[in-house]
Amino acid sequence: MIGERALRAVLAIVAAWHVVTGLMALVAPDTFFDQIGHYGIENSHYVGDVGAFMLAFGIAIAIAIFKPAWRAPLLWLGAIWYAFHAINHAFDTGEAKSEARGWTDTALLAFGCAAAAWLARVSEKLGAGEARGAR
């Protein structure tokens, strides 16, 4: 298990990834589509919707760095989101730039699910340890 300081550093990286990616989808949906989300026919509105969620999630994780009670619930939400996202990609691998890219994206999203779930458990254990220490 990792400690509080390492968890905060990891959460900062997770938050930054989601904020930057979300902003890219909102501000430059064509670039996001071409470089990251190239599935099916481009729809800038839906790319922006994805960006809005990613940006909100990234900001919430950034806040959770300083609000430990937010961590586990947000990370479980992220795990669920990444799980459903991976399942969706598994059904659409043929719509990616290539079949290999489709399966790679699916695997990376599944990894995101596992990582978020692991971080949620770490957050819960650290929170339980702090609660015991406060008694």
Side-chain angles (χ1 to χ4, degrees):
M1 186 167 81
I2 63 175
E4 174 67 21
R5 186 173 174 179
L7 178 61
R8 285 176 159 220
V10 170
L11 292 177
I13 293 166
V14 170
W17 165 259
H18 286 88
V19 166
V20 168
T21 307
L23 283 172
M24 179 196 292
L26 282 169
V27 175
D30 296 340
T31 300
F32 179 93
F33 181 80
D34 289 338
Q35 300 301 316
I36 297 174
H38 194 110
Y39 283 78
I41 299 168
E42 182 178 358
N43 182 320
S44 295
H45 175 82
Y46 289 123
V47 171
D49 286 347
V50 169
F53 182 81
M54 289 187 79
L55 179 59
F57 184 73
I59 291 169
I61 293 294
I63 293 168
I65 293 169
F66 306 100
K67 292 191 169 276
W70 286 32
R71 293 176 186 168
L74 286 171
L75 289 164
W76 283 120
L77 171 67
I80 293 165
W81 166 42
Y82 272 95
F84 285 125
H85 198 165
I87 291 166
N88 185 49
H89 273 253
F91 284 103
D92 293 336
T93 57
E95 292 189 34
K97 281 185 177 180
S98 70
E99 190 80 17
R101 171 72 186 263
W103 285 112
T104 300
D105 288 350
T106 301
L108 289 171
L109 291 166
F111 173 78
C113 169
W118 181 75
L119 288 170
R121 289 294 298 138
V122 167
S123 296
E124 290 171 343
K125 288 180 181 183
L126 283 176
E130 290 175 8
R132 280 193 302 273
R135 291 182 195 161

